[in-house]
Amino acid sequence: MRLPFFSRRKRSEPDADAFFDDLRRSAVGANYSHVDRYRDFRAVFFGESTPHQGKRVLWQILEWARLFRPIAAPGDPHETYRRDGERNIGLKIFMTLNAEPAGRPEEAITEKEPTT
């Protein structure tokens, strides 16, 4: 008997480089103020936002999650663990956005039991 959540459909491999290249184009520069960030976050979470605003917010969240810098804090293992937790959340967001889930079958596939 095959269980329905095991699919034989091959998923496409996520392209992390293409994802980050596209996202990096929305990276904020020195002219990005606290007011700009506030407006972007409000638009994304509470209203209608543009794709560019969404990418800027995502970039900011991944930056806060330390995805683009080292997490090691020499001499302070507790700080390293805290930073690793931040990075873990960023990686989960990244994986959720970048990896398409496998399709769920319409019905369970079962094999008939042999009769004796």
Side-chain angles (χ1 to χ4, degrees), residues 11-25:
R11 292 184 289 182
S12 62
E13 292 295 320
D15 187 359
D17 292 332
F19 177 81
F20 281 117
D21 286 342
D22 183 45
L23 190 59
R24 190 168 284 118
R25 286 187 213 106

Side-chain angles (χ1 to χ4, degrees), residues 41-96:
F41 272 72
R42 296 284 299 188
V44 168
F45 290 108
F46 297 122
E48 299 292 321
S49 66
T50 66
H52 192 63
Q53 283 176 311
K55 288 178 183 179
R56 283 195 307 249
V57 168
L58 178 60
W59 180 267
Q60 183 67 62
I61 290 171
L62 295 180
E63 204 170 72
W64 287 339
R66 299 183 168 272
L67 243 53
F68 312 116
R69 18 181 200 158
I71 60 168
D76 189 355
H78 299 291
E79 179 65 15
T80 300
Y81 292 138
R82 187 185 69 76
R83 290 177 181 181
D84 190 42
E86 291 174 348
R87 182 175 174 83
N88 189 32
I89 292 297
L91 289 172
K92 286 184 181 193
I93 292 170
F94 166 68
M95 289 184 324
T96 301

